[in-house]
Amino acid sequence: MLKTRIRDKIAKHNISVTMLLCIPLIILFFLSFLVGRYPIAPYDVVITLVSKVIPINSTVPPSIETVIFQVRLPRILAAMLVGAALSIAGASFQGLFKNPLVAPDKLGVSAGAGFAAALAILLSLGTILIQVFSFFWWFTCRGTHLLYKQDFQGNFHFNSYFMRNCH
Protein backbone atom coordinates (compact mmCIF):
# COMPACT_ATOMS: atom_id res chain seq x y z
CA MET A 1 0.00 0.00 0.00
CA LEU A 2 2.74 2.41 0.99
CA LYS A 3 4.88 1.44 -2.01
CA THR A 4 2.06 2.12 -4.45
CA ARG A 5 1.45 5.59 -2.99
CA ILE A 6 5.16 6.37 -3.29
CA ARG A 7 5.20 5.14 -6.88
CA ASP A 8 2.16 7.28 -7.68
CA LYS A 9 3.84 10.36 -6.19
CA ILE A 10 7.02 9.67 -8.14
CA ALA A 11 5.05 9.19 -11.36
CA LYS A 12 3.17 12.46 -10.80
CA HIS A 13 6.42 14.21 -9.94
CA ASN A 14 8.10 12.97 -13.13
CA ILE A 15 5.22 14.21 -15.24
CA SER A 16 5.27 17.61 -13.58
CA VAL A 17 9.07 17.92 -14.00
CA THR A 18 8.75 16.98 -17.66
CA MET A 19 6.05 19.59 -18.15
CA LEU A 20 8.14 22.23 -16.39
CA LEU A 21 11.09 21.44 -18.62
CA CYS A 22 8.92 21.68 -21.76
CA ILE A 23 7.66 25.16 -20.91
CA PRO A 24 11.04 26.93 -21.39
CA LEU A 25 11.57 24.97 -24.60
CA ILE A 26 8.27 26.21 -26.02
CA ILE A 27 8.92 29.78 -24.88
CA LEU A 28 12.41 29.81 -26.39
CA PHE A 29 11.07 28.25 -29.58
CA PHE A 30 8.74 31.21 -30.10
CA LEU A 31 11.25 33.81 -28.89
CA SER A 32 13.79 32.51 -31.40
CA PHE A 33 11.59 33.73 -34.24
CA LEU A 34 12.00 37.29 -32.94
CA VAL A 35 15.80 37.28 -32.98
CA GLY A 36 17.58 38.07 -36.21
CA ARG A 37 18.72 40.68 -38.66
CA TYR A 38 15.24 41.21 -40.09
CA PRO A 39 12.93 42.37 -37.25
CA ILE A 40 9.57 40.61 -37.03
CA ALA A 41 6.82 41.55 -34.60
CA PRO A 42 5.51 38.82 -32.26
CA TYR A 43 2.01 39.28 -33.65
CA ASP A 44 3.26 38.59 -37.18
CA VAL A 45 5.02 35.43 -36.05
CA VAL A 46 1.94 34.08 -34.31
CA ILE A 47 -0.38 34.96 -37.20
CA THR A 48 2.00 33.43 -39.73
CA LEU A 49 2.37 30.17 -37.79
CA VAL A 50 -1.34 29.91 -37.00
CA SER A 51 -2.33 30.65 -40.62
CA LYS A 52 -0.51 27.48 -41.73
CA VAL A 53 -2.52 25.35 -39.28
CA ILE A 54 -5.90 27.07 -39.32
CA PRO A 55 -7.17 28.54 -42.59
CA ILE A 56 -7.36 32.25 -41.75
CA ASN A 57 -6.60 35.29 -43.85
CA SER A 58 -3.13 36.53 -43.06
CA THR A 59 -2.20 40.18 -43.58
CA VAL A 60 1.48 39.44 -43.11
CA PRO A 61 3.67 40.35 -46.11
CA PRO A 62 5.16 37.41 -48.05
CA SER A 63 8.69 38.52 -47.16
CA ILE A 64 7.99 37.86 -43.48
CA GLU A 65 6.55 34.43 -44.30
CA THR A 66 9.67 33.67 -46.31
CA VAL A 67 11.96 34.71 -43.46
CA ILE A 68 9.98 32.65 -40.94
CA PHE A 69 9.56 29.46 -42.97
CA GLN A 70 12.70 29.47 -45.12
CA VAL A 71 15.29 30.87 -42.69
CA ARG A 72 14.31 30.87 -39.04
CA LEU A 73 12.16 27.76 -38.67
CA PRO A 74 14.77 25.41 -40.22
CA ARG A 75 17.50 26.93 -38.05
CA ILE A 76 15.41 26.65 -34.90
CA LEU A 77 14.50 23.03 -35.62
CA ALA A 78 18.12 22.19 -36.47
CA ALA A 79 19.31 23.73 -33.20
CA MET A 80 16.74 21.73 -31.26
CA LEU A 81 17.76 18.49 -33.00
CA VAL A 82 21.47 19.13 -32.43
CA GLY A 83 20.82 19.84 -28.75
CA ALA A 84 18.83 16.61 -28.45
CA ALA A 85 21.58 14.65 -30.22
CA LEU A 86 24.27 16.07 -27.94
CA SER A 87 22.26 15.22 -24.85
CA ILE A 88 21.73 11.65 -26.10
CA ALA A 89 25.45 11.33 -26.84
CA GLY A 90 26.34 12.54 -23.34
CA ALA A 91 23.84 10.21 -21.72
CA SER A 92 25.18 7.28 -23.73
CA PHE A 93 28.74 8.06 -22.62
CA GLN A 94 27.61 8.23 -19.02
CA GLY A 95 25.64 5.00 -19.34
CA LEU A 96 28.44 3.13 -21.12
CA PHE A 97 31.09 4.00 -18.57
CA LYS A 98 28.70 4.07 -15.60
CA ASN A 99 30.15 7.40 -14.52
CA PRO A 100 28.20 10.69 -14.41
CA LEU A 101 31.40 12.73 -14.80
CA VAL A 102 32.57 11.22 -18.08
CA ALA A 103 33.04 13.66 -20.97
CA PRO A 104 34.31 13.37 -24.55
CA ASP A 105 37.42 15.42 -23.80
CA LYS A 106 38.38 13.04 -20.96
CA LEU A 107 38.12 10.04 -23.28
CA GLY A 108 40.08 11.47 -26.18
CA VAL A 109 37.08 11.66 -28.49
CA SER A 110 37.30 15.42 -28.98
CA ALA A 111 41.05 15.45 -29.61
CA GLY A 112 41.00 12.61 -32.12
CA ALA A 113 38.06 13.94 -34.11
CA GLY A 114 39.39 17.50 -33.99
CA PHE A 115 42.81 16.46 -35.23
CA ALA A 116 41.30 14.51 -38.11
CA ALA A 117 39.01 17.39 -39.07
CA ALA A 118 41.93 19.82 -39.07
CA LEU A 119 44.02 17.42 -41.14
CA ALA A 120 41.18 16.93 -43.63
CA ILE A 121 40.74 20.69 -43.96
CA LEU A 122 44.47 21.08 -44.62
CA LEU A 123 44.18 18.40 -47.32
CA SER A 124 41.30 20.45 -48.86
CA LEU A 125 38.79 17.62 -48.62
CA GLY A 126 35.06 18.32 -49.05
CA THR A 127 32.66 18.72 -46.15
CA ILE A 128 31.38 15.14 -46.30
CA LEU A 129 34.93 13.76 -46.46
CA ILE A 130 35.96 15.91 -43.51
CA GLN A 131 33.21 14.31 -41.41
CA VAL A 132 33.99 10.79 -42.63
CA PHE A 133 37.72 11.29 -42.10
CA SER A 134 37.08 12.64 -38.61
CA PHE A 135 34.83 9.71 -37.68
CA PHE A 136 37.24 7.04 -38.90
CA TRP A 137 40.22 8.71 -37.23
CA TRP A 138 38.25 8.88 -33.98
CA PHE A 139 37.32 5.22 -34.37
CA THR A 140 40.98 4.25 -34.94
CA CYS A 141 42.16 6.32 -31.97
CA ARG A 142 39.54 4.81 -29.66
CA GLY A 143 40.34 1.27 -30.77
CA THR A 144 44.07 1.82 -30.26
CA HIS A 145 43.47 3.39 -26.87
CA LEU A 146 41.17 0.56 -25.77
CA LEU A 147 43.80 -2.00 -26.78
CA TYR A 148 46.43 -0.04 -24.86
CA LYS A 149 44.27 0.06 -21.72
CA GLN A 150 43.84 -3.72 -21.51
CA ASP A 151 45.67 -5.51 -18.76
CA PHE A 152 48.37 -8.08 -19.49
CA GLN A 153 45.89 -10.96 -19.70
CA GLY A 154 43.85 -9.14 -22.37
CA ASN A 155 40.98 -8.28 -20.02
CA PHE A 156 39.30 -4.92 -20.23
CA HIS A 157 37.29 -3.46 -17.36
CA PHE A 158 34.88 -0.65 -18.16
CA ASN A 159 34.55 0.34 -14.50
CA SER A 160 38.24 1.04 -14.07
CA TYR A 161 38.76 2.43 -17.58
CA PHE A 162 37.62 5.93 -16.79
CA MET A 163 39.62 6.17 -13.59
CA ARG A 164 42.80 5.07 -15.38
CA ASN A 165 42.06 7.49 -18.19
CA CYS A 166 41.93 10.62 -15.98
CA HIS A 167 45.30 12.31 -16.14
Side-chain angles (χ1 to χ4, degrees):
M1 180 73 171
L2 181 63
K3 286 185 179 180
T4 57
R5 285 193 305 190
I6 292 173
R7 284 186 191 148
D8 291 340
K9 285 184 180 183
I10 291 173
K12 288 178 185 177
H13 179 71
N14 285 339
I15 291 172
S16 63
V17 168
T18 304
M19 293 303 289
L20 284 175
L21 291 175
C22 286
I23 290 171
L25 179 68
I26 293 168
I27 291 171
L28 289 173
F29 175 78
F30 285 110
L31 287 177
S32 298
F33 284 105
L34 306 177
V35 178
R37 177 175 234 164
Y38 187 74
I40 300 175
Y43 176 77
D44 292 340
V45 172
V46 172
I47 290 297
T48 304
L49 292 175
V50 169
S51 69
K52 294 295 181 181
V53 178
I54 301 171
I56 59 171
N57 292 334
S58 174
T59 59
V60 178
S63 61
I64 290 180
E65 284 188 17
T66 302
V67 168
I68 288 175
F69 288 111
Q70 299 296 322
V71 178
R72 294 190 184 168
L73 183 63
R75 289 181 184 179
I76 293 167
L77 293 177
M80 290 172 69
L81 288 174
V82 167
L86 287 173
S87 68
I88 290 170
S92 66
F93 266 138
Q94 292 173 351
L96 178 67
F97 292 103
K98 297 177 181 72
N99 189 331
L101 299 177
V102 72
D105 58 337
K106 296 286 186 197
L107 300 174
V109 175
S110 299
F115 172 75
L119 187 61
I121 290 170
L122 285 175
L123 295 174
S124 299
L125 300 178
T127 55
I128 299 296
L129 287 175
I130 290 172
Q131 295 172 14
V132 170
F133 196 73
S134 179
F135 174 75
F136 282 115
W137 186 267
W138 165 81
F139 196 73
T140 304
C141 288
R142 291 308 310 144
T144 305
H145 196 233
L146 289 175
L147 288 175
Y148 174 73
K149 290 295 184 177
Q150 289 181 350
D151 60 12
F152 292 108
Q153 288 81 27
N155 298 326
F156 178 76
H157 305 284
F158 272 114
N159 292 337
S160 63
Y161 172 70
F162 181 71
M163 296 317 256
R164 287 187 290 180
N165 198 21
C166 289
H167 305 300

